[in-house]
Amino acid sequence: MGGCVSGDLKGGKQAIGGVHGRSTMNNDAGYNEAIDHFFRVRDQSPLFTPIELSLSASNLRNLDILSKSDPMAVLYVKKMDGTLEELGRTEVILNCLNPTWIEKINVSYQFEIVQNLVFHVYDVDTKYYNMSVKALKLNEQDFLGEATCVLSEIVTKRNQSLTLNLHGKNGPGGSKNFGTLTVHAEESCLSRMAVEMKLRCSQLGNKDMFSKSDPFLRISRLTESGKYVPICKTDVINNNLNPVWRPLYLSMQQFGSKDNPLLIECFNFNSNGNHVLIGQLHKSVSELEKLHKERSGANLVFPTHRGQEKVLKGQLFVDQFIGKEQFSFLDYISSGFELNFMVAVDFTASNGTPRNQDSLHYIDPSGRLNSYQKAIIEAGEVIQFYDSDRRFPAWGFGGRYGGTLSHCFNLNGTNAYEVEGVQGIMAAYANALHTVTLAGPTLFGPVINTAAQLASQATSNDITKYFVLLIITDGVLTDIEETMDALVRASDLPLSILIVGVGNADFKQMEVLDADDGCRLESSTGRVATRDIVQFVPMREVHSGQISAVQALLEELPDQFLTYNRSRNIKPLHS
Amino acid sequence: METKSRTLEITVLSAEDLRSDNKPVKKNAYVVVSVDPFNNKATKVDGEGGSYPSWNDKLVMEMPLQTRFVTLLVKCKGSRGEKTVGLARIPVMDFVGGYSPATCLQFLSYRLRDPKGLKNGIINVSLRVKEPLQDCSSQAAAAGGGNAATIGMGIPIDGRRDYGMVTGIPIWTGYPSNSLF
């Protein structure tokens, strides 16, 4: 009863306020378009990818006199400060120099960072046979060998298996044969599960005095800490007490598990942001599927101040429920798809003369990296693992090369635009600083068009190539309209563009190009970007534990890659 | 024999944020595609998509070589007849002679303008020109010819349709007679 009184009072306030209680049409529409774009861009975005590693070894050293070794493997990740963090252990296999361990070790794959793995193999002493492997003290066991690799090296292999030579604690190069370790990576099939649902409500309570409600749904997931975290919301349906929302896509990573309780809240949209709760209910994905099969509705409830729930007349129905397994980013990569890295570096005069210590291009004799070098290294070291030939196009723009102003010149100075590896980019960059005169103005259009040309050749010849252009710039664009036109034309190609801003300029223009606010880029002729291919971040000092600027950029790449390939129904290659 | 036209396969996928008289379109939006003033075809009517309709309708049209624009006219049927919601023109140059060969499936989006010339939502299409002897790589072509049109950038609605190979020009009754603008 208290709830009713509060509701009436609220309604009364709305009536008194007049327009304040209702959304304006324009506000609604913008909100809907932003949500739509959010869903389009974030379609089934995984938060991380769980990977199971299976280990086996061959030709291990035999340390036992009267029997063979009893091997166990331990997996560590090497952290930024060089320390090793243990991720898991296998079981002990008795009397075997060629073990295939059964226990799998779970690792979270993160595309945006280089994940250095360290494997140690031990011979477990006989007297510890009956102990749990977790209780074993490793310094009391005999060390059999060590191997290191990057997680990306495993998942990019055609069969997702990598064989490594084991070596002693003093590192590779010794004459002794320590045997080999084979690591097989498998993505948990649960991580590929996704659900498409079409939700509908009927007979919602009306929260507007002079018109009908503008309802939308918000779905939240119960976390381990007992709090609800929103995972998605629907568009707003104007003036409708029996709304039908457009289909939602939820991935397993979003809702946790099919039986995890979800909180589904129905709100009346108000443009002032104070949305009024119409009703709510708790259902898991399994229960929603059951509602769909039985074609029945579930009543919304309204929480009261006394902790009880008032059952409302309004009901939620599931008109459509499709569970499906989607190909994941790693499915494409392990079947032979590649990411091809390209770099474009700003050589305009606003960076300052490279000889001066305050220049953004200053090469410190002590080896400390400038912002351009940091961005190249951080992005290149991640993406290089996804390119089989590791030959990267590298350009400069805004500089005078050979006396001629160029807005897209080859960084290595020759007719060939490609350099060898990340170190090749770094060397070409350092050399260019000696041969190029900084000039201006800052144009992005030419390098974007050149990159798009390369990407378009790929679509004709090889659907497995996806291009990533990193643009590093310090300044404000002169050709914002030409840049937007170029980006819109490129948006239908297998290309993503990462823009890193260095220095202290005002980067508002960059944030316009980065479509995170939901507005699709529009060219001067009225063509609209097919999808969002641009990400921008300003370079900033990374504090301990904080994600770096470049990592934040790279994190979006698998989604952009998947959006492109799924929209064209391009599938991973068959083995 | 000299060829004076080429075959255009255009799938009208979806539209976003359609308004009529400054209010969101409630239902019954459809699109008329023209390759010249005398050749046009219409999609089906989306009865439930409101201002965010999805059609995923594939239309096959003979496009004269001299055509410079493909015109998309979005209309809606209301209780008081049909209304023009917005117009978009696709320059043929955007998909012939652009980055990708015209025979590759391309996804394009355009800003609509209402009869007064004001911005009015976005329309999403996929299209390609059929030139049998110069097709794309087999998988991309198969993707284009097969199921890509049913997925595209639009959000699929109930009852997905299987677009197999084109076997003829679609024929429907109730063809709107006043679709010319």
Side-chain angles (χ1 to χ4, degrees):
Chain A
M1 195 59 66
C4 290
V5 170
S6 293
D8 288 345
L9 182 58
K10 183 76 175 183
K13 281 190 173 179
Q14 288 176 352
I16 295 171
V19 297
H20 295 311
R22 276 171 296 280
S23 61
T24 61
M25 289 303 175
N26 285 335
N27 199 292
D28 250 17
Y31 194 72
N32 277 346
E33 184 165 7
I35 290 181
D36 185 45
H37 200 262
F38 177 85
F39 277 133
R40 197 184 300 271
V41 171
R42 296 276 193 267
D43 185 0
Q44 300 171 27
S45 300
L47 307 177
F48 67 93
T49 304
I51 296 278
E52 285 180 339
L53 298 183
S54 310
L55 306 181
S56 62
S58 294
N59 301 316
L60 294 176
R61 291 190 299 142
N62 189 12
L63 299 185
D64 287 356
I65 298 174
L66 299 178
S67 65
K68 295 178 181 147
S69 295
D70 310 307
M72 174 188 78
V74 184
L75 171 61
Y76 305 87
V77 64
K78 183 182 281 191
K79 306 174 93 172
M80 206 84 67
D81 57 7
T83 60
L84 299 185
E85 174 192 348
E86 185 177 328
L87 297 180
R89 301 179 177 188
T90 66
E91 75 279 21
V92 179
I93 297 193
L94 304 182
N95 282 314
C96 188
L97 297 184
N98 301 285
T100 300
W101 287 283
I102 296 172
E103 190 80 22
K104 299 184 188 344
I105 302 179
N106 292 301
V107 179
S108 294
Y109 167 76
Q110 285 178 261
F111 168 82
E112 68 273 13
I113 62 178
V114 177
Q115 295 172 281
N116 288 289
L117 303 179
V118 179
F119 303 87
H120 287 173
V121 184
Y122 291 92
D123 174 21
V124 175
D125 201 77
T126 308
K127 63 177 183 264
Y128 298 111
Y129 279 178
N130 295 321
M131 283 184 70
S132 151
V133 294
K134 291 196 196 313
L136 291 174
K137 294 181 180 172
L138 299 178
N139 55 9
E140 295 173 0
Q141 317 305 327
D142 292 317
F143 180 81
L144 286 174
E146 174 184 286
T148 61
C149 72
V150 172
L151 182 53
S152 308
E153 289 181 284
I154 309 172
V155 300
T156 52
K157 287 291 179 290
R158 184 61 67 126
N159 55 357
Q160 299 202 66
S161 285
L162 183 65
T163 299
L164 304 162
N165 287 323
L166 292 164
H167 53 79
K169 284 192 172 175
N170 296 324
S175 58
K176 280 188 177 179
N177 178 21
F178 286 77
T180 61
L181 179 78
T182 298
V183 190
H184 175 67
E186 196 165 323
E187 190 175 0
S188 164
C189 62
L190 285 183
S191 71
R192 292 191 189 82
M193 186 162 296
V195 172
E196 181 183 340
M197 281 188 290
K198 193 170 187 180
L199 301 178
R200 168 173 65 88
C201 280
S202 73
Q203 297 187 82
L204 291 177
N206 191 21
K207 298 295 183 180
D208 280 343
M209 292 300 290
F210 299 113
S211 65
K212 292 172 184 162
S213 295
D214 307 314
F216 69 94
L217 295 177
R218 179 174 75 185
I219 302 183
S220 304
R221 174 176 65 101
L222 183 63
T223 63
E224 291 170 2
S225 56
K227 293 182 178 178
Y228 280 102
V229 174
I231 58 176
C232 76
K233 40 183 160 178
T234 65
D235 51 320
V236 177
I237 306 289
N238 290 323
N239 284 313
N240 201 325
L241 300 184
N242 301 282
V244 181
W245 290 281
R246 282 182 292 132
L248 298 176
Y249 301 90
L250 295 177
S251 63
M252 183 69 69
Q253 287 89 357
Q254 284 176 285
F255 52 82
S257 79
K258 272 197 143 185
D259 298 311
N260 199 29
L262 300 176
L263 170 65
I264 303 172
E265 298 163 295
C266 185
F267 291 98
N268 177 36
F269 177 87
N270 282 327
S271 55
N272 60 11
N274 294 326
H275 312 305
V276 178
L277 181 69
I278 296 173
Q280 66 183 36
L281 70 167
H282 293 80
K283 290 289 177 195
S284 66
V285 170
S286 291
E287 289 167 332
L288 292 172
E289 182 175 22
K290 191 180 175 193
L291 286 186
H292 170 66
K293 285 177 176 172
E294 297 172 350
R295 300 200 184 279
S296 58
N299 286 83
L300 301 178
V301 300
F302 197 91
T304 69
H305 293 316
R306 303 198 188 96
Q308 294 189 342
E309 292 177 334
K310 180 190 178 186
V311 178
L312 304 175
K313 188 166 64 169
Q315 287 189 306
L316 175 80
F317 296 85
V318 184
D319 280 351
Q320 177 179 290
F321 187 100
I322 302 175
K324 53 190 175 182
E325 211 171 320
Q326 287 269 329
F327 292 114
S328 69
F329 175 71
L330 291 180
D331 288 329
Y332 286 92
I333 294 299
S334 62
S335 77
F337 280 63
E338 296 187 358
L339 302 182
N340 299 116
F341 185 49
M342 304 181 284
V343 183
V345 178
D346 185 332
F347 280 81
T348 57
S350 51
N351 286 277
T353 306
R355 289 186 304 273
N356 300 338
Q357 286 194 28
D358 58 353
S359 168
L360 294 169
H361 284 304
Y362 180 66
I363 303 289
D364 197 316
S366 71
R368 189 172 181 271
L369 302 178
N370 67 35
S371 292
Y372 285 93
Q373 292 170 311
K374 282 179 194 167
I376 293 168
I377 287 280
E378 280 190 50
E381 283 194 338
V382 168
I383 302 180
Q384 62 175 341
F385 290 105
Y386 300 85
D387 189 334
S388 57
D389 70 5
R390 297 193 188 179
R391 297 188 55 81
F392 306 127
W395 301 293
F397 58 93
R400 223 171 279 278
Y401 177 77
T404 305
L405 173 63
S406 176
H407 297 294
C408 187
F409 57 90
N410 294 329
L411 213 57
N412 65 5
T414 66
N415 290 329
Y417 52 81
E418 284 182 331
V419 299
E420 197 82 40
V422 176
Q423 288 309 314
I425 305 175
M426 298 291 277
Y429 166 70
N431 285 334
L433 290 175
H434 298 309
T435 57
V436 175
T437 305
L438 304 195
T442 307
L443 309 182
F444 279 5
V447 290
I448 293 171
N449 289 332
T450 302
Q453 202 66 48
L454 285 180
S456 70
Q457 287 161 20
T459 62
S460 309
N461 302 322
D462 184 354
I463 59 167
T464 62
K465 290 191 183 300
Y466 190 90
F467 292 80
V468 181
L469 171 65
L470 173 68
I471 300 179
I472 315 167
T473 182
D474 78 318
V476 176
L477 283 177
T478 308
D479 69 340
I480 183 71
E481 209 169 79
E482 285 83 2
T483 294
M484 290 177 71
D485 289 0
L487 290 171
V488 169
R489 277 200 308 275
S491 63
D492 195 36
L493 295 168
L495 170 65
S496 288
I497 297 175
L498 315 176
I499 305 177
V500 174
V502 301
N504 298 312
D506 180 1
F507 291 116
K508 280 201 184 73
Q509 281 175 320
M510 305 299 160
E511 280 154 17
V512 170
L513 302 181
D514 182 348
D516 276 357
D517 62 359
C519 293
R520 293 170 70 176
L521 282 186
E522 190 163 335
S523 79
S524 52
T525 61
R527 184 173 162 187
V528 176
T530 301
R531 64 190 178 102
D532 176 19
I533 61 172
V534 181
Q535 304 290 328
F536 165 77
V537 288
M539 197 69 152
R540 58 173 186 264
E541 289 303 316
V542 178
H543 307 296
S544 67
Q546 192 184 28
I547 187 173
S548 85
V550 175
Q551 282 173 20
L553 281 184
L554 294 172
E555 196 176 16
E556 314 265 1
L557 264 184
D559 293 334
Q560 291 181 347
F561 172 96
L562 287 171
T563 299
Y564 176 82
N565 283 297
R566 284 174 179 166
S567 67
R568 283 153 188 75
N569 207 34
I570 295 172
K571 293 177 167 39
L573 306 175
H574 299 299
S575 306
Chain B
M1 180 175 183
E2 184 188 6
T3 304
K4 296 185 176 178
S5 68
R6 44 202 163 183
T7 303
L8 174 70
E9 294 179 355
I10 179 167
T11 302
V12 186
L13 297 167
S14 64
E16 301 167 26
D17 191 22
L18 301 180
R19 355 193 97 246
S20 184
D21 296 328
N22 214 32
K23 298 171 190 170
V25 168
K26 286 190 180 299
K27 57 181 180 177
N28 291 342
Y30 67 99
V31 182
V32 180
V33 181
S34 304
V35 293
D36 68 39
F38 309 103
N39 287 296
N40 50 64
K41 290 197 165 82
T43 67
K44 66 181 189 299
V45 171
D46 182 342
E48 62 183 36
S51 58
Y52 287 80
S54 292
W55 299 282
N56 293 302
D57 267 353
K58 186 176 190 179
L59 310 174
V60 181
M61 309 178 75
E62 290 301 316
M63 182 171 66
L65 288 186
Q66 63 267 27
T67 294
R68 294 176 55 235
F69 294 94
V70 176
T71 304
L72 307 171
L73 181 64
V74 182
K75 308 186 81 167
C76 67
K77 294 173 184 281
S79 52
R80 288 170 288 168
E82 293 177 347
K83 283 185 173 177
T84 295
V85 174
L87 173 76
R89 304 171 91 194
I90 304 178
V92 171
M93 278 174 48
D94 276 5
F95 58 91
V96 176
Y99 282 129
S100 301
T103 49
C104 283
L105 184 69
Q106 297 177 60
F107 289 79
L108 305 174
S109 301
Y110 290 85
R111 173 67 63 183
L112 294 160
R113 298 275 172 173
D114 72 9
K116 297 176 183 172
L118 301 175
K119 289 188 176 185
N120 190 7
I122 291 170
I123 186 162
N124 306 302
V125 303
S126 66
L127 53 77
R128 66 175 186 155
V129 176
K130 289 194 68 176
E131 282 175 342
L133 299 181
Q134 305 168 20
D135 223 333
C136 316
S137 62
S138 59
Q139 180 162 342
N147 300 319
T150 66
I151 297 178
M153 296 298 290
I155 296 175
I157 55 178
D158 280 333
R160 298 165 190 268
R161 291 164 295 279
D162 179 25
Y163 293 101
M165 294 303 297
V166 176
T167 56
I169 307 295
I171 298 175
W172 48 74
T173 57
Y175 185 79
S177 57
N178 61 340
S179 59
L180 293 178
F181 55 97

